[in-house]
Each structure stands twice: as structure tokens, then as C-alpha cells.
Amino acid sequence: MTARQRVTILGSTGSVGVNTLDVIRRHPDRFEVFALTAKSQWELLLAQCAEFRPMFAVMIDPEAASTLASRLKAEGITTHVFVGEQALCDVAREERVNTVMAAIVGAAGLAPCMAAAISGKRLLLANKEALVIGGDVFMSAVRAGGATLLPIDSEHSAIFQSLPDDRATWATRIDKIILTASGGPFLNRDLATFGAITPDEACAHPNWVMGRKISVDSATMMNKALEVIEAKYLFGVTPDQIEVVIHPQSIIHSMVQYKDASVLAQMGTPDMRVPIAYGLSYPDRIESGAANLDFFALAGGMSFAKPDSERFPSLALAWAAMNEPSGTILLNAANEVAVEAFLAGRIRFDQIKVLNAEIVNSLACPVANNLGDILVIDGLARQVASQTCNRLASEK
């Protein structure tokens, strides 16, 4: 019998982490949980530790970690609790771990992703921002460590599943990559009302159940902008080989168009357990828990449209950022600051695009050659973005 994979989940209390544990729960003969991590949700992490009995748990918030440790001890659970960002990197590189699910939201996931990559893990990448800001530095770490990098975003997993097994042939076979986008909750909303959009409205995605940050990104289509950048590095294509198409039904998750005009697409119900199960079991296929696609229920058909640049100006920023040294770092940092401010009620929904464009167009930074450079540029961008956010808040 093949030994079970030991899995560390970075960000186990988020939607991807919860869905990963659901897939693992269905296959106890194939997987065991080695470590779980979270920022501050100790109650959910406690329940996860009680069920899966990991060797380690990591929390970023010291107070939450202390509470978790006390509760685990009271319940007789022997999971060891550690605190802080360094501990995230430690469990990501742990030699007893085979697979790391990278599901931490935002730039905070870069360092542990790098640690897993350099250590040669099977790295399941749900944290698109790590690649968006890490770029060539991150991909170099993957190659140097001999890591297996598997995309978990539904779009990039779909592309990966539609590509030939032999990566060496991609450049000669691929014409372009087509990322599908649902259009989010405001695809048909009156543009004049965008300034009145509330956080709860922005987080009510019509097809996917996601965390609040990525839900807002979907509403602005910044998630697709980041996915365009991610696709460039993952699949070694040029920016002009990437296209985005609106597909509100979220049935086709993305497509690859080949030199002979053939198009291969991956289809399925909109359920994150499908790409998660594929990543965990690759190159095998295992039951994910998702419902089968019912073609007879698609009687209304599937529709496609070109993205409206006025409605989704964030999308164009992806190509603008890729044309500037470290532009993708600036874009991601600005957007994280903007979304946090919007969710906190400090700026309006329609001011997110203003802040993002201002940072990308006004800051000039050199090329980042290592993790230290990336973090310096990221910190500078956040500082300027915070100042810009304060100005916008005063104009709200």
C-alpha cells in the first residue's frame, strides 16, 4: 500500500483550507494532516485539530495562539502550537511533509510558499498573490528546489488540465490562454450606483463561496487581473497570449487555444473541491465531493462576452503592471490596502480602482532580485497606498 501523503495546510480556516480538509476527510487512506495554520480563528482551528489531530498548529495572533494551546491541552489533544510568521515557514519546509496547500490570502503567503518551494514540496498554490509578487524569484525557487507546483485556482487548474503533459512542447503548441470570469455580483448593475455598493453586497458572489477579500476582488475583477499575471508565470506565456472572457455561468473554468485553432476547455460545477482534489491526487483522479455537471440543467445555455473596460477598469491594470519593473508588486500591495479599507468602511467601492491605478502609475521601483527586494518594494507600496487611502477617505 502506498504511504499516505502528509499535508500541511497554510490557511486552514479559510474557504480553500476548509474545502481541502473536506477532500482529505473523504480519503483517510491517502492523506494525513501534519500541520494546520490560521491567523486568528482559534475556534475553528480548535475544531479542525480535534478532528484531524495534526502534529503542529500555527497561529499568527499571539493571543489566539495562547487560547488555542490552552483549549487543546484541556481537551487532551497533543497538537503543538507555535506562533508567528517564522513558524509558518518552518511547517512549510518540514522534512516530514510531502504536500503543502498554500491558501493564505495575500502577500503574507509569499515567505512560506518560498520555503515550501525551496524544500522541494508538492506545492498546491491557491495563493495567487505569492506568484503575482514573487514572479521570477518565486519560479526560480521552484526550479532550484525541485518542487512540484500545481495551481489550485479553478482557472489555472483548468488550464493545466488542458495542456499537454510535456511542458517542453507548450511554447510550440499554444496560441493563447483564455481565462474565464463570472463577472461577479455587479455584471449588470448600473454604473452610476457603484459608489453606494456595500461590503456585504460586494461579498455576495453569485456562483462561488469565498472569503471576503477575494469576493471583493471578484466584484472589481481584480482577481482576474491577478490571475492574468499568475498565468504569465505559471505557463510561460507572454501577456499578449492571455485573454479574458466573461462567462457568467462559471461552467467552463478556462481554455487553451492551440496553434491549429483547436480549443480545449475544462468544465465542471463551480466547486473548489474539484481543483483541490486534482492537486492532492495528481496525476490520479479521486472523488472530490462536488456534484456532477448536469448538462440537461444547462438548457438556458452558456453565454460569453468581452469584459467592459468601464465596468472593470482593474483588469487593464494587469497588463500595465506587467510592463513596469516590479509593477505587479505595486498593484497587489495597493489592492490589499484598498480592499481592507473598503471592507472597513473607510473608502467607497468605486475608490478601489482609483487607489490601485494611482499607485501603479505613480510609483517607480527597480526590478526585485530576491525575497528581500520584494518585501521592501511591497512595504513601500503599502505605505504610499495607505497615505493615498487616507486622502480618499477624506473625500468619501
Side-chain angles (χ1 to χ4, degrees), residues 120-135:
K121 307 301 183 188
R122 173 187 288 236
L123 179 56
L124 311 184
L125 190 66
N127 173 259
K128 63 174 67 67
E129 294 89 348
L131 188 50
V132 167
I133 68 174

Side-chain angles (χ1 to χ4, degrees), residues 225-272:
L226 299 179
E227 287 170 11
V228 166
I229 299 165
E230 184 181 8
K232 170 182 178 288
Y233 290 108
L234 276 174
F235 306 116
V237 294
T238 60
D240 61 359
Q241 288 181 287
I242 307 171
E243 183 177 312
V244 175
V245 61
I246 300 291
H247 171 48
Q249 296 80 18
S250 296
I251 298 300
I252 295 178
H253 298 302
S254 276
M255 298 168 271
V256 177
Q257 180 171 300
Y258 286 86
K259 299 287 187 179
D260 62 358
S262 298
V263 177
L264 298 188
Q266 188 266 341
M267 305 172 66
T269 52
D271 190 318
M272 279 305 299

Side-chain angles (χ1 to χ4, degrees), residues 16-313:
V16 172
V18 169
N19 279 309
T20 300
L21 287 173
D22 185 67
V23 174
I24 289 174
R25 181 183 293 117
R26 297 168 184 275
H27 302 278
D29 59 321
R30 296 185 65 122
F31 310 106
E32 63 178 288
V33 177
F34 183 82
L36 299 174
T37 83
K39 183 178 181 181
S40 58
Q41 294 188 56
W42 66 265
E43 298 97 333
L44 179 52
L45 190 55
L46 174 65
Q48 292 174 344
C49 289
E51 178 179 0
F52 293 96
R53 304 293 171 125
M55 182 169 290
F56 299 117
V58 177
M59 302 210 75
I60 299 301
D61 182 85
E63 185 175 343
S66 178
T67 302
L68 176 66
S70 297
R71 291 295 299 269
L72 287 170
K73 183 178 180 180
E75 296 187 22
I77 300 170
T78 59
T79 298
H80 302 285
V81 179
F82 293 95
V83 186
E85 295 176 1
Q86 182 57 51
L88 289 178
C89 295
D90 292 340
V91 295
R93 67 167 63 94
E94 233 287 345
E95 63 181 12
R96 288 168 286 184
V97 171
N98 312 102
T99 301
V100 175
M101 168 61 78
I104 295 174
V105 175
L110 175 59
C113 281
M114 290 280 287
I118 293 169
S119 301
K121 307 301 183 188
R122 173 187 288 236
L123 179 56
L124 311 184
L125 190 66
N127 173 259
K128 63 174 67 67
E129 294 89 348
L131 188 50
V132 167
I133 68 174
D136 289 326
V137 173
F138 179 79
M139 293 305 295
S140 293
V142 170
R143 290 189 292 270
T148 300
L149 181 63
L150 297 171
I152 298 300
D153 273 349
S154 61
E155 295 83 359
H156 300 90
S157 177
I159 293 165
F160 183 72
Q161 293 179 58
S162 301
L163 286 169
D165 291 337
D166 185 1
R167 186 182 183 109
T169 68
W170 290 1
T172 58
R173 294 189 184 188
I174 298 172
D175 181 35
K176 65 180 176 181
I177 283 171
I178 304 168
L179 293 166
T180 57
S182 70
F186 308 131
L187 181 59
N188 299 306
R189 179 160 174 155
D190 185 352
L191 288 171
T193 69
F194 269 38
I197 289 171
T198 68
D200 284 345
E201 288 176 322
C203 291
H205 196 282
N207 299 337
W208 299 91
V209 178
M210 304 180 292
R212 289 175 72 79
K213 194 269 182 183
I214 193 173
S215 294
V216 174
D217 283 350
S218 180
T220 63
M221 207 173 278
M222 179 54 70
N223 73 317
K224 209 56 53 179
L226 299 179
E227 287 170 11
V228 166
I229 299 165
E230 184 181 8
K232 170 182 178 288
Y233 290 108
L234 276 174
F235 306 116
V237 294
T238 60
D240 61 359
Q241 288 181 287
I242 307 171
E243 183 177 312
V244 175
V245 61
I246 300 291
H247 171 48
Q249 296 80 18
S250 296
I251 298 300
I252 295 178
H253 298 302
S254 276
M255 298 168 271
V256 177
Q257 180 171 300
Y258 286 86
K259 299 287 187 179
D260 62 358
S262 298
V263 177
L264 298 188
Q266 188 266 341
M267 305 172 66
T269 52
D271 190 318
M272 279 305 299
R273 290 176 295 180
V274 175
I276 289 169
Y278 183 71
L280 284 170
S281 65
Y282 177 81
D284 296 336
R285 299 273 183 172
I286 59 173
E287 190 268 331
S288 67
N292 290 327
L293 184 60
D294 183 356
F295 286 94
F296 299 108
L298 299 176
M302 294 187 290
S303 59
F304 304 90
K306 186 176 181 179
D308 179 354
S309 60
E310 185 178 3
R311 182 175 298 275
F312 300 118

